[in-house]
Amino acid sequence: MYSLYCRTYQFAYKTVAQFLPWRHPLLLEGKNSLAELPSLLQRQSIGNVLIVTDAGISQLGLMDPLLEGFTMFGIQYVVYDKTVPNPTIDNIEDALTLYKSSGCEGIIAFGGGSPMDCAKGVAARVAQPGKTLAQLKGQLKIRKAIPPLVAIPTTAGTGSETTIVSVVSNSETHEKYAINDPVLTPHFAVMDPLLTVNLPKHITSTTGMDALTHAVEAYIGRSNTPQTKQWSREATQLIFENLYEAYQNGKNIKARANMQRASFLAGRAFTRAYVGYIHAIAHTLGGFYNVPHGLANAVIMPHVLEYYGKAVHKPLAELADIAGITDSSDSEEVKCKKFIEALRQMNKKMDIPETISGIETTDIPLMVDRAYKEANPLYPVPRILNKKDLETLYILIK
């Protein structure tokens, strides 16, 4: 009976989603496209911006050319660079205070998924100043225009430059939750592969697997559209063809650019078709132990896909064909198994572990409860799991 309730809820949400105001960010793409942003903002009459980033990016000087461009075009800016991995409510509130005190008119997210989440959280609070982040948790709670938002990814994985979600961590309760609303889609996105060439190998690998998780979970779910399935297929092919090369040879601009495109496409796919239990479990690991989101997804994905069993044989067989790892004589089940094994081998080649160390047995019941509530009834997963199923998965990845 509960499964029927979940499926009815998911069908209703898929129906409503057809009429939501989806926004496609205006893209600046290719080598040195970052240099085009100051003139774009000037044409948009945006003269004062908050830049949300983290200390690592500030120290590397990745933003220096952009800041010089802003000075040249007379655009004022302030920088918030205290964003932590799995950004907290305090991060967002501190950045919001800086936005207001500086009289900003727009927000720029510069970095990986954490600065993106933080910047979107600020945008949500600007749009709804009378509500706390906790009150904005869940679906369609903002429903008001946000300030102009620019996303500049320095990794290829989150797809946040095209998604509707901000993921927030409560450092006191260890809860990690999502704020979902189409208004959070960035207005502009800069996809300059030069920003990713010096990424550490472990960030290249885990963010790339994050993008693959987005593509896979969107594809195997039950809220697909023909367009989201095409985005997922293209992203999957690009990742299988380019991720290991980007990992091995970080200065291969073509591989870096292809991974950026894969991340963008996978982000578009899961924005419309949603994710599943891989993400629900990963969010709890981020909230409890600060496990980087891409790493958590990479480790969890083979376990969850295997646990789904027959429910994913057909879609994973299709993705296996696209990845070029099957024979024409293979059955759907064999193709599915080959796909899952290929994920394990990708992880192994890139030094991603098979399990997550440090999980405390005493934390599992609360993590199970939170993952269960995040996923059900919203996520249109191929098979509805109960709390016992989730407990089994936590033990498998422990």
Side-chain angles (χ1 to χ4, degrees):
M1 197 66 175
Y2 182 69
S3 292
L4 178 61
Y5 162 69
C6 290
R7 294 306 188 198
T8 303
Y9 185 100
Q10 292 155 18
F11 177 78
Y13 197 86
K14 181 180 180 181
T15 302
V16 170
Q18 299 177 58
F19 305 100
L20 293 177
W22 301 103
R23 177 164 58 232
H24 180 72
L26 187 154
L27 293 178
L28 300 177
E29 295 181 89
K31 289 174 61 175
N32 297 309
S33 55
L34 182 63
E36 302 171 26
L37 182 59
S39 62
L40 172 63
L41 295 188
Q42 187 184 61
R43 293 194 300 273
Q44 298 291 327
S45 300
I46 301 170
N48 192 346
V49 295
L50 168 71
I51 303 173
V52 179
T53 187
D54 58 45
I57 286 173
S58 283
Q59 291 165 8
L60 288 172
L62 284 178
M63 295 190 301
D64 291 351
L66 178 64
L67 302 184
E68 291 170 6
F70 283 163
T71 300
M72 185 182 304
F73 280 84
I75 296 172
Q76 299 180 55
Y77 62 87
V78 289
V79 177
Y80 178 81
D81 63 0
K82 296 179 175 58
T83 308
V84 298
N86 302 305
T88 64
I89 294 170
D90 289 341
N91 278 156
I92 293 168
E93 293 298 327
D94 289 346
L96 175 66
T97 298
L98 184 59
Y99 176 93
K100 290 179 176 178
S101 65
S102 302
C104 295
E105 303 164 336
I107 304 169
I108 295 177
F110 197 114
S114 295
M116 300 278 184
D117 284 332
C118 186
K120 288 182 178 181
V122 173
R125 288 281 284 112
V126 172
Q128 284 285 8
K131 292 187 176 181
T132 65
L133 289 165
Q135 290 173 320
L136 297 174
K137 170 185 174 181
Q139 315 304 310
L140 307 175
K141 301 286 183 61
I142 304 172
R143 300 195 302 275
K144 289 186 178 180
I146 64 170
L149 176 63
V150 181
I152 307 174
T154 58
T155 65
T158 69
S160 291
E161 65 275 7
T162 189
T163 68
I164 66 170
V165 61
S166 171
V167 181
V168 182
S169 292
N170 185 324
S171 54
E172 294 181 1
T173 65
H174 304 297
E175 182 183 10
K176 190 174 181 180
Y177 56 83
I179 299 170
N180 296 287
D181 196 304
V183 302
L184 289 180
T185 307
H187 299 84
F188 312 99
V190 181
M191 291 168 52
D192 189 334
L194 294 180
L195 294 174
T196 68
V197 295
N198 291 317
L199 276 180
K201 295 180 76 170
H202 73 279
I203 296 181
T204 296
S205 62
T206 55
T207 55
M209 292 302 288
D210 187 19
L212 186 56
T213 308
H214 296 154
V216 170
E217 287 211 289
Y219 195 80
I220 65 177
R222 294 194 174 190
S223 288
N224 267 306
T225 67
Q227 186 65 76
T228 64
K229 292 182 78 171
Q230 178 56 36
W231 290 332
S232 291
R233 286 193 291 263
E234 186 177 343
T236 299
Q237 182 175 359
L238 284 169
I239 293 167
F240 268 83
E241 291 176 350
N242 293 278
L243 175 54
Y244 190 67
E245 172 60 21
Y247 172 80
Q248 284 287 83
N249 180 12
K251 298 192 184 300
N252 184 326
I253 300 299
K254 183 177 180 181
R256 290 295 194 183
N258 283 338
M259 283 304 302
Q260 281 189 321
R261 176 162 178 78
S263 175
F264 181 79
L265 291 170
R268 295 194 78 187
F270 90 81
T271 291
R272 291 294 301 270
Y274 264 87
V275 287
Y277 293 113
I278 299 170
H279 271 75
I281 294 171
H283 287 155
T284 65
L285 297 176
F288 272 74
Y289 309 114
N290 265 332
V291 178
H293 183 65
L295 171 62
N297 276 343
V299 173
I300 296 164
M301 180 158 48
H303 295 286
V304 173
L305 295 181
E306 200 164 56
Y307 198 83
Y308 279 139
K310 292 181 179 179
V312 294
H313 282 180
K314 184 176 187 297
L316 289 188
E318 293 169 355
L319 292 183
D321 284 338
I322 290 162
I325 56 174
T326 61
D327 297 317
S328 58
S329 60
D330 290 341
S331 66
E332 284 186 347
E333 181 179 2
V334 168
K335 289 179 180 181
C336 173
K337 289 181 177 179
K338 282 188 173 181
F339 187 81
I340 295 171
E341 180 57 26
L343 298 181
R344 289 197 165 102
Q345 290 304 313
M346 287 172 71
N347 282 345
K348 185 175 181 180
K349 282 167 57 177
M350 297 186 295
D351 291 324
I352 295 173
E354 295 182 2
T355 57
I356 300 290
S357 61
I359 296 177
E360 298 287 344
T361 302
T362 53
D363 289 334
I364 290 178
L366 182 54
M367 289 195 293
V368 165
D369 186 61
R370 288 181 178 173
Y372 182 81
K373 288 178 179 177
E374 175 183 333
N376 299 332
L378 177 63
Y379 293 164
V381 290
R383 174 182 155 207
I384 303 293
L385 302 184
N386 58 36
K387 289 187 178 181
K388 187 64 178 175
D389 293 319
L390 291 176
E391 181 182 357
T392 300
L393 286 167
Y394 276 101
I395 291 170
L396 283 173
I397 64 173
K398 184 175 180 293

